Amino acid sequence: MKKFKIGLSLLLAVIVSGMLITWKDQSYSAIDLLENANFHVENSTVTLHHIDTDTEDIFSEMKISKETQQELIQSFQQATFKKKSHKNY
């Protein structure tokens, strides 16, 4: 019975350790994070907004060139993101 308890404890420790390592190193792609992202459309575009709380319309669209839009799309398509823990600073 004592060997069974030790074996069960070791098995549980291995399973919990594996789960913690998996959750710690989990990364996400842009498609995972952006629900409506489709990087395979023919004429893809990016819209950026500027937030200015001093104006009546706080959200205003920023003008960016088509070349910059394509660079942003390619960068985001290949990017990976890691989950970070929330800490009070």
Side-chain angles (χ1 to χ4, degrees):
M1 186 68 169
K2 190 174 185 177
K3 288 182 181 181
F4 176 73
K5 287 182 181 179
I6 292 172
L8 186 60
S9 298
L10 287 173
L11 180 63
L12 184 62
V14 169
I15 291 171
V16 170
S17 298
M19 289 172 57
L20 290 174
I21 290 170
T22 302
W23 286 334
K24 181 180 177 185
D25 294 334
Q26 192 170 16
S27 63
Y28 303 93
S29 70
I31 294 173
D32 293 333
L33 297 176
L34 304 172
E35 294 177 5
N36 296 324
N38 184 356
F39 295 108
H40 304 291
V41 294
E42 195 169 315
N43 294 319
S44 55
T45 60
V46 172
T47 303
L48 297 178
H49 288 87
H50 175 262
I51 299 174
D52 186 0
T53 57
D54 295 332
T55 61
E56 187 175 316
D57 184 20
I58 64 170
F59 297 104
S60 58
E61 190 173 320
M62 296 174 62
K63 304 262 188 223
I64 56 174
S65 68
K66 292 195 181 284
E67 294 81 19
T68 303
Q69 289 183 32
Q70 293 308 310
E71 289 174 8
L72 287 170
I73 290 169
Q74 288 175 358
S75 297
F76 236 83
Q77 184 177 8
Q78 299 168 3
T80 57
F81 303 89
K82 292 191 177 195
K83 186 174 184 178
K84 215 170 173 167
S85 63
H86 299 288
K87 295 182 181 180
N88 295 331
Y89 294 99

